[in-house]
């Protein structure tokens, strides 16, 4: 509590500092006549036109090259420090980075879900926001647009977008270089050259190489994980044969071969809600309990993990970075990202045509010890046949001009994209899975007296099988045989699952600014989008244990003749557990060679309306409405086809179930009221917003499989307000006419900057965003019940959506004597209030508020021809988790699952992906 209070107090202090900038500084800035602010005038293209940031009536943060360099931003994650409404994080793979704006973003790492906050680089759409975690090279600026972007070019977005603009070629020769060395043996070398080839043709070449040791230690295999080993190349040509024509061609290539991403167990020192989840049960059974149940003082799954080789120290290391990895399992990943784009701008005199054409290919393969323990339960082996890959072609055309004597600034355009997505997976059960699974069953209840992890089926020889048979009556022989088969389930599962999605998206749009008077503008935009996707998948699987166990005990699930009531109940419970653990995630040889296919299409109108007024030259007031959209699609995960209990043949085959993989498009209606004040040395922008999301697309991991659920609200929930928080999937439905939006984000944003002198700049930002689920929730727009795994959502905040975020930065570049040399002193900070990192909102995934600070100090030569800098990232070594999650399959048994408010996940164990620790180093720069 003290940590939370301290950070909250810090946030409030920063908020007060922002307020101090916003009001008294106005008068101060008016007296700062000598301040040179021309270089602080940021030009943006958020409305498809070149405009000053202060003249754009939308909520947008723009970060220039100097700020990016000072903050140490090499990819989009570092933007967190300077954009308070933005949160970028990465979890199980560098390919799965997620960006959130105002608490809204794509949750999870399923590539079938498009980005709520897409990334554009030089006007080219990148298929998923995680692709923006690459090195960026020399950057001119970054624009972070907040709120739905449903009108102009590129893909639709429901929460905002990130636009990155690289430096263009110059017709003046120049170059720059950078050498950096830091702790963790961090090395970074970057260089850039530009200049003319002819009077009409210029070039630029950028290159970056990065290498660094990992932040995690794998003692089992003698490796470090979460390292860096990558390079980036970009070449550009700029052809300007006349003032009317400009042609820019860009080619880039990124290669990464790194080990990522490890996780550690969450313990009680990190989150007190862990309680005794990480303790072994001693003894297994609660003394005196009738009927027999697991001891309340611990967790039987910890006993199982310990007895199969997991050191108990891993469950109590706090924020330690010693990871648990099975022997010979690795996190090796390889990524290639490359493309070619061309932009043509031609001024006809009365109108300007812009064409952006691009082709890109992205491929990322990632091995993993997927259970994050030293017990070999689940893994992905490194393989050239396991990856996710995007082939993307995009074409955008815009024509923009003026009419009626400048009263109308019009823009019309079109966009086309073809995206071919391939996912090939090789997830398999590990070499100890069978024994782990049988021990999980035996240790969790009245049979725990038979527990013997070194013997077949995890039971005592002789007496164990006999007791199992006796406890299940006429079903006994089948139950014992099923235990034997499950015990043998080792190194089986997916041989190669192949998912293919071919998506075609085209749109027509118009965006027009009507100058009603010299100070009053009306902006109207409209977009029509057509989105079509074709899906097919072919499965490869050698898990014949699943089919064998189903054949043995499927009839025992519903037996009424096994014997006594106790024998019937035990037979049914064990049959369900045996099939469930044998066929987890629909991993079954029954699917081997089976193919499925489906298609979907949707059409949507989106748009915007903005009324803006400049009562004086330095002040802009605006109000706006926007409707945004994110396409629906397919869940690229066979586990969503059905429950693993029944064979596919019993429910009509896999093709009959393919519709279960579809999810609906996400829609948002957004309202905003804002003001921007800019008077040279001082600028201030304030916006108040409200956005309502229908069919909010949520991807969550429940410890066994990934669920994709659309979330809506209900004005009259069948069964009453508590019907969406129970354990039944049959209650909590809603009449179609009563279905409403399911998520609302609303709040206030403030950004301010003050340049009281030429060499001194202060910037600050504050976001208050209440991003919540509605009190009564349902699943689809048809009013189906919310999945019980999400019963904690109603009325609570979304994951990774802190209510308060404050940022601040100070830059001082004092002159040193009269030689032209200068110094550099820079510090930035981001203060965040408490939030939950898990999409199911279990309390074990709560993150206390924290603050992260970066700093840089340096000496620079005349005209910054050379420089030397000492820097630190996360200088106070703040520990925090990016995301906490249910550790796969590692859940114990409880007599009353999900009913204890402290343990809504029962006896589930949790892990987390930690943020980067403190890093520091030295950088040498030079340019000519």
């Amino acid at each position: 509590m003290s940590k939370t209070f301290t950070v909250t107090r810090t946030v409030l202090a920063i908020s007060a500092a922002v307020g101090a900038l916003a009001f008294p500084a106005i008068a101060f800035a008016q007296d700062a006549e000598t301040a040179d602010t021309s270089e602080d005038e940021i030009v943006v293209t958020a409305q498809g036109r070149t405009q000053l940031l202060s003249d754009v009536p939308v909520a947008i943060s723009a970060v220039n090259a100097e700020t990016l360099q000072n903050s140490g931003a090499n990819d989009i994650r570092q933007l967190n420090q300077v954009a308070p409404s933005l949160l970028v994080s990465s979890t199980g793979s560098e390919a799965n980075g997620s960006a959130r704006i105002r608490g809204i973003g794509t949750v999870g790492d399923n590539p079938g879900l498009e980005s709520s906050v897409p990334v554009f680089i030089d006007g080219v759409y990148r298929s998923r926001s995680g692709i923006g975690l690459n090195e960026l090279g020399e950057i001119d600026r970054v624009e972070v647009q907040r709120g739905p972007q449903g009108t102009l070019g590129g893909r639709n977005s429901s929460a905002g977008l990130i636009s990155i603009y690289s430096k263009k070629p110059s017709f003046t020769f120049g170059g720059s270089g950078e050498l950096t060395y830091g702790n963790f043996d961090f090395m970074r070398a970057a260089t850039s050259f530009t200049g003319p080839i002819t009077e009409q043709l210029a070039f630029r070449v950028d290159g970056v190489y990065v290498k660094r040791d990992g932040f995690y230690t794998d003692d089992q295999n003698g490796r470090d994980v979460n390292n860096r080993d990558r390079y980036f190349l970009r070449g550009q040509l700029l052809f300007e044969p006349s003032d009317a024509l400009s042609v820019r061609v860009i080619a880039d290539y990124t290669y990464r071969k790194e080990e990522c991403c490890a996780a550690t167990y969450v313990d009680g020192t990190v989150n007190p809600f862990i309680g005794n989840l990480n303790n072994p049960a001693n003894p297994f059974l609660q003394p005196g309990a009738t009927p027999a149940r697991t001891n309340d003082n611990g967790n039987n799954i910890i006993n199982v993990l310990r007895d199969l080789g997991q050191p108990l120290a891993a469950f109590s290391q706090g924020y330690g970075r010693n990871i648990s990895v099975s022997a010979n399992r690795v996190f090796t990943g390889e990524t290639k990202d490359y493309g070619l784009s061309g932009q043509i701008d031609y001024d006809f005199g009365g109108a300007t045509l812009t064409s952006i054409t691009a082709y890109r290919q992205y491929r990322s393969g990632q091995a993993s010890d997927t259970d994050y323990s030293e017990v070999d339960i689940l893994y992905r082996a490194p393989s050239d046949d396991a990856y996710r890959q995007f082939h993307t072609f995009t074409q955008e055309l815009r024509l923009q001009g003026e009419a009626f004597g400048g009263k109308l600034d019009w823009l019309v355009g079109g966009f086309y994209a073809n995206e071919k997505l391939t996912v090939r997976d090789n997830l398999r059960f590990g070499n100890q899975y069978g024994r782990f699974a049988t021990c999980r069953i035996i240790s969790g209840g009245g049979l725990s007296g038979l527990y013997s992890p070194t013997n077949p089926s995890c039971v005592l020889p002789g007496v164990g099988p006999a007791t199992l048979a006796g406890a299940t009556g006429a079903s006994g022989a089948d139950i014992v045989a099923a235990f034997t088969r499950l015990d043998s389930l080792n190194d089986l599962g997916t041989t190669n699952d192949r998912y293919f999605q071919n998506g075609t998206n085209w749109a027509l749009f118009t965006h027009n600014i009507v100058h009603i008077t010299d100070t009053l503008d009306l902006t109207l935009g409209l977009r029509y989008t057509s989105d079509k996707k074709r899906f097919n998948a072919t499965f490869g699987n050698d898990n014949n244990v699943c089919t064998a166990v189903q054949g043995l005990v499927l009839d025992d699930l519903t037996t009424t003749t096994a014997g006594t009531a106790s024998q019937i109940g035990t037979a049914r419970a064990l049959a369900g557990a045996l099939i469930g653990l044998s066929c987890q995630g629909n991993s079954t040889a029954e699917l081997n060679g089976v193919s499925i296919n489906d298609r979907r299409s949707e059409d949507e109108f989106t748009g915007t309306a903005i009324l803006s007024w400049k009562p004086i030259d330095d002040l802009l007031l605006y109000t706006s409405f926007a409707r945004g959209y994110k396409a629906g699609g397919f869940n690229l995960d066979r586990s969503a086809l059905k429950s693993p209990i029944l064979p596919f043949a019993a429910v009509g085959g896999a093709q009959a179930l393919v519709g279960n993989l579809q999810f609906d498009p996400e829609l948002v209606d957004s309202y905003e009221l804002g003001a921007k004040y800019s008077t040279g040395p001082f600028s201030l922008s304030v916006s108040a917003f409200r956005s309502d999301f229908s069919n909010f697309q949520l991807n969550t991991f429940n410890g066994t499989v990934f669920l994709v659920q659309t979330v809506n609200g209900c004005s009259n929930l069948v069964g009453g307000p508590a019907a969406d928080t129970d354990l039944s999937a049959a209650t909590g439905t809603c009449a179609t006419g009563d279905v409403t939006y399911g998520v609302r984000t609303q709040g206030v944003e403030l950004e301010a900057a003050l340049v009281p002198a030429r060499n001194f700049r202060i910037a600050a930002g504050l976001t208050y965003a209440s991003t919540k689920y509605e009190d009564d929730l349902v699943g689809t727009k048809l009013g189906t019940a919310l999945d019980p795994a999400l019963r904690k959502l109603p009325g609570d905040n979304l994951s990774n959506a802190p209510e308060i975020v404050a940022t601040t930065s100070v830059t001082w570049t004092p002159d040193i004597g009269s030689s032209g040399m200068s110094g550099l002193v820079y510090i930035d900070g981001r203060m965040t209030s408490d939030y939950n990192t898990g999409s199911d909102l279990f309390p074990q995934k709560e993150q206390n508020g924290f603050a992260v600070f970066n700093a840089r100090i340096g000496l620079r030569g005349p005209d910054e021809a050379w420089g030397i800098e000492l820097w630190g990232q996360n200088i106070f070594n703040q520990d925090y988790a990016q995301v906490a999650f249910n550790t796969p399959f590692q859940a114990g048994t409880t007599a009353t699952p999900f009913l204890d408010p402290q343990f809504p996940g029962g006896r589930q164990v949790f892990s987390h992906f930690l943020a980067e620790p403190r890093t520091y180093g030295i950088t040498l720069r030079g340019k000519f």
Side-chain angles (χ1 to χ4, degrees):
M1 292 299 292
S2 61
K3 180 179 178 183
T4 303
F5 174 76
T6 300
V7 172
T8 302
R9 184 173 57 189
T10 304
V11 170
L12 293 175
I14 294 297
S15 304
V18 172
L21 278 176
F23 298 103
I26 295 178
F28 176 73
Q30 290 171 344
D31 294 332
E33 299 294 339
T34 60
D36 179 7
T37 61
S38 59
E39 62 184 30
D40 296 301
E41 295 283 351
I42 298 178
V43 174
V44 298
T45 56
Q47 295 194 115
R49 305 155 174 86
T50 300
Q51 298 172 286
L52 291 176
L53 176 63
S54 57
D55 290 337
V56 180
V58 296
I60 176 173
S61 300
V63 185
N64 61 20
E66 180 184 8
T67 301
L68 290 169
Q69 178 176 292
N70 289 337
S71 66
N74 300 319
D75 62 42
I76 63 174
R77 274 173 295 204
Q78 277 80 27
L79 294 175
N80 292 341
Q81 290 297 109
V82 292
S85 293
L86 174 69
L87 176 63
V88 182
S89 60
S90 60
T91 53
S93 165
E94 286 282 293
N96 301 333
S98 177
R100 294 171 173 84
I101 290 178
R102 296 172 174 171
I104 300 292
T106 297
V107 178
D109 60 1
N110 191 315
L113 280 80
E114 297 181 3
S115 299
S116 299
V117 183
V119 173
F120 291 79
I121 301 180
D122 292 317
V124 176
Y125 168 71
R126 301 301 176 96
S127 293
R128 298 297 181 266
S129 58
I131 296 173
L133 299 181
N134 291 332
E135 292 287 324
L136 300 176
E138 288 286 313
I139 297 300
D140 178 68
R141 70 186 187 280
V142 177
E143 300 176 10
V144 180
Q145 298 182 50
R146 308 190 293 272
Q149 309 297 314
T151 305
L152 287 169
R155 295 295 289 265
N156 288 277
S157 67
S158 57
L161 62 84
I162 301 172
S163 294
I164 301 168
Y165 297 92
S166 64
K167 288 185 177 179
K168 292 182 178 181
S170 171
F171 284 91
T172 301
F173 274 112
S176 64
E178 170 195 317
L179 290 174
T180 295
Y181 183 79
N183 62 331
F184 295 98
D185 209 16
F186 173 58
M187 293 177 284
R188 186 177 191 269
T191 187
S192 177
F193 294 97
T194 186
I197 299 175
T198 70
E199 291 184 353
Q200 300 174 337
L201 182 65
F203 78 96
R204 176 181 285 275
V205 176
D206 300 326
V208 181
Y209 172 74
V210 179
K211 191 174 179 64
R212 190 203 67 205
D213 293 342
F215 297 136
Y216 290 101
T217 301
D218 171 12
D219 291 327
Q220 173 81 266
N221 299 292
R223 310 168 74 96
D224 55 82
V225 182
N226 282 42
N227 65 337
R228 290 282 185 271
D229 191 354
R230 59 180 64 176
Y231 65 85
F232 164 81
L233 295 171
R234 179 170 57 220
Q236 301 184 60
L237 291 174
L238 179 62
F239 179 54
E240 294 183 340
S242 68
D243 292 339
L245 178 63
S246 174
V247 180
R248 185 184 182 191
V249 178
I250 306 173
D252 66 271
Y253 181 88
T254 294
Y255 178 79
R256 306 190 316 213
K257 190 170 185 179
E258 303 168 345
E259 296 210 26
C260 193
C261 300
T264 58
Y265 289 105
V266 183
D267 71 13
T269 65
V270 171
N271 186 316
F273 287 101
I274 291 296
N276 58 18
L277 287 177
N278 291 359
N279 299 338
N282 185 27
F284 269 128
L285 295 181
Q286 180 73 22
T290 303
R293 61 179 174 84
T294 304
N295 198 326
D296 291 338
N297 71 5
N299 189 347
N300 65 289
I301 205 67
I302 303 299
N303 299 59
V304 174
L305 291 167
R306 177 199 62 195
D307 296 340
L308 295 181
Q310 174 63 52
L312 289 180
F315 297 103
S316 58
Q317 67 166 324
Y319 285 105
R321 295 175 185 267
N322 292 315
I323 58 175
S324 300
V325 184
S326 302
N328 301 315
R329 301 298 180 213
V330 296
F331 290 88
T332 303
E334 185 177 48
T335 298
K336 297 177 182 179
D337 178 24
Y338 56 89
L340 178 69
S341 67
Q343 178 169 335
I344 301 173
D345 294 287
Y346 185 75
D347 187 350
F348 291 100
T352 300
L353 176 68
T354 297
S355 170
I356 303 177
T357 307
Y359 173 78
R360 300 206 58 82
Q361 181 169 322
Y362 176 88
R363 174 168 167 158
S364 178
Q366 184 70 61
S368 64
D369 186 352
T370 316
D371 55 74
Y372 304 100
S373 77
E374 290 194 23
V375 183
D376 195 13
I377 302 171
L378 200 63
Y379 75 98
R380 285 185 171 93
S383 171
D384 291 336
D385 291 327
Y387 55 82
R388 59 182 61 183
Q389 179 173 274
F390 293 91
H391 292 264
T392 309
F393 172 80
T394 57
Q395 173 64 59
E396 181 176 342
L397 288 172
R398 298 194 304 265
L399 187 65
Q400 186 255 330
E402 295 183 346
F404 307 113
K407 288 292 186 181
L408 174 65
D409 183 345
W410 56 267
L411 184 152
V412 295
F415 176 79
Y416 172 83
N418 177 246
E419 179 184 274
K420 296 177 181 177
L421 168 59
T422 301
V423 176
R424 300 183 69 166
D425 197 10
N426 63 346
L427 180 66
R428 294 176 70 78
F429 296 112
N431 287 319
Q432 292 177 276
Y433 178 77
R435 184 59 50 83
F436 168 82
T438 54
C439 285
R440 174 175 157 170
I441 297 173
I442 294 297
S443 66
L447 299 173
S448 60
L450 305 175
Y451 177 75
S452 181
T454 59
N455 287 300
S457 299
C458 198
V459 295
L460 294 168
V463 67
T467 302
L468 286 174
T472 51
S475 299
D478 288 345
I479 295 293
V480 172
F483 264 102
T484 301
R485 291 307 305 268
L486 175 57
D487 199 60
S488 70
L489 205 175
N490 300 314
D491 202 21
L492 296 174
T494 304
T495 54
N496 197 259
D497 285 346
R498 290 164 288 172
Y499 300 87
F500 304 96
Q501 180 177 283
N502 190 328
T504 300
N505 178 288
W506 65 268
L508 299 174
F509 55 87
T510 181
H511 188 271
N512 307 285
I513 303 175
V514 181
H515 303 296
I516 300 173
T517 70
D518 290 342
T519 60
L520 185 65
D521 290 347
L522 176 64
T523 301
L524 298 173
L526 183 66
R527 180 186 183 104
Y528 169 79
T529 300
S530 172
D531 189 271
K532 297 181 179 180
K533 291 184 174 74
R534 299 197 310 272
F535 162 81
N536 66 84
T538 300
F539 304 106
N541 198 289
D542 61 5
N543 181 15
N544 52 24
V545 171
C546 170
T547 53
V549 171
Q550 286 175 327
L552 284 167
V553 298
L554 191 62
D555 58 334
D556 298 303
L557 277 171
T558 56
T559 182
T560 58
T561 60
T564 66
S566 174
Q567 290 173 323
I568 291 172
T570 302
R572 288 179 174 180
L574 289 178
L578 288 163
I579 296 175
L581 289 172
S582 298
C583 307
Q584 284 281 18
N586 288 319
S587 177
T588 171
E590 186 185 8
L591 283 180
N592 191 49
V594 172
S595 296
I596 58 176
N597 63 85
D598 201 0
R599 63 178 58 201
R600 60 173 290 118
S601 63
E602 59 201 40
D603 304 279
E604 196 67 44
F605 282 98
T606 55
T608 187
I610 308 171
L611 185 65
S612 60
W613 177 45
K614 296 195 74 171
I616 58 175
D617 288 343
D618 297 331
L619 178 63
L620 173 69
L621 306 175
Y622 67 91
T623 183
S624 67
F625 167 80
R627 183 169 177 81
Y629 154 79
K630 184 174 74 166
F634 295 94
N635 180 3
L636 305 184
D637 188 340
R638 64 164 187 253
S639 64
L641 287 168
K642 66 169 186 63
S643 161
I645 300 300
L646 294 177
F648 280 91
V651 288
Q655 180 60 42
L657 302 170
V658 70
N660 293 338
L661 300 182
Q662 289 203 34
F663 54 87
D664 292 326
E666 183 175 289
L667 300 172
V668 54
D669 290 327
S670 184
Y671 310 86
E672 192 164 313
L673 183 67
K676 295 185 177 185
Y677 178 80
S678 180
T679 176
F682 177 74
S683 63
L684 172 69
S685 64
V686 181
S687 60
F689 61 89
R690 171 180 286 181
S691 299
D692 295 331
F693 291 80
S694 301
N695 289 333
F696 179 74
Q697 296 169 3
L698 180 66
N699 186 23
T700 190
F701 181 64
N702 67 2
T704 303
V705 297
F706 282 94
L707 305 172
V708 175
Q709 171 87 76
T710 53
V711 178
N712 290 281
C714 180
S715 60
N716 186 21
L717 197 65
V718 176
D724 55 354
T725 59
D726 60 25
L727 296 177
S728 173
T731 60
T733 59
C734 185
T736 305
D738 293 332
V739 175
T740 64
Y741 62 88
V743 170
R744 168 173 284 180
T745 179
Q746 59 185 350
V748 178
E749 298 165 319
L750 185 152
E751 292 184 330
L754 175 64
V755 187
R758 177 180 57 83
N759 57 15
F760 193 79
R761 176 184 175 86
I762 303 172
L766 175 68
T767 295
Y768 168 76
S770 174
T771 307
K772 289 190 172 185
Y773 293 102
E774 288 301 289
D775 290 337
D776 295 322
L777 298 180
V778 292
T780 69
K781 61 185 178 183
L782 300 178
T784 54
L786 190 71
D787 191 291
L790 304 177
R791 64 196 175 281
K792 294 287 290 181
L793 271 55
D796 208 342
N797 288 0
L798 271 67
S799 62
N800 288 288
E803 290 192 354
I804 299 175
V805 177
T807 60
T808 186
S809 66
V810 177
T811 308
W812 183 37
T813 55
D815 293 334
I816 299 178
S818 59
S819 63
M821 294 176 59
S822 62
L824 169 66
V825 178
Y826 174 85
I827 186 168
D828 66 42
R830 177 184 176 99
M831 285 60 69
T832 301
S833 63
D834 303 354
Y835 59 95
N836 195 304
T837 68
S839 51
D840 54 16
L841 302 183
F842 286 178
Q844 289 77 17
K845 302 175 184 180
E846 289 281 351
Q847 171 62 56
N848 280 339
F850 60 92
V852 174
F853 292 89
N854 302 327
R856 188 173 296 259
I857 185 171
L859 179 67
R860 306 183 297 187
D863 299 320
E864 298 185 30
W866 58 267
I868 180 170
E869 299 169 2
L870 300 175
W871 54 266
Q873 303 280 95
N874 189 9
I875 57 176
F876 298 116
N877 203 27
Q878 174 67 57
D879 289 317
Y880 63 99
Q882 296 189 86
V883 168
F885 59 95
N886 298 16
T887 314
F889 294 179
Q890 295 169 51
T893 302
T894 176
T896 54
F898 311 117
L899 299 183
D900 188 329
Q902 181 175 344
F903 302 113
R907 308 308 283 171
Q908 171 68 55
V909 176
F910 299 90
S911 297
H912 52 186
F913 298 108
L914 298 178
E916 295 185 355
R918 174 172 51 216
T919 56
Y920 51 86
I922 184 171
T923 296
L924 303 178
R925 302 186 192 277
K927 71 176 183 179
F928 65 92

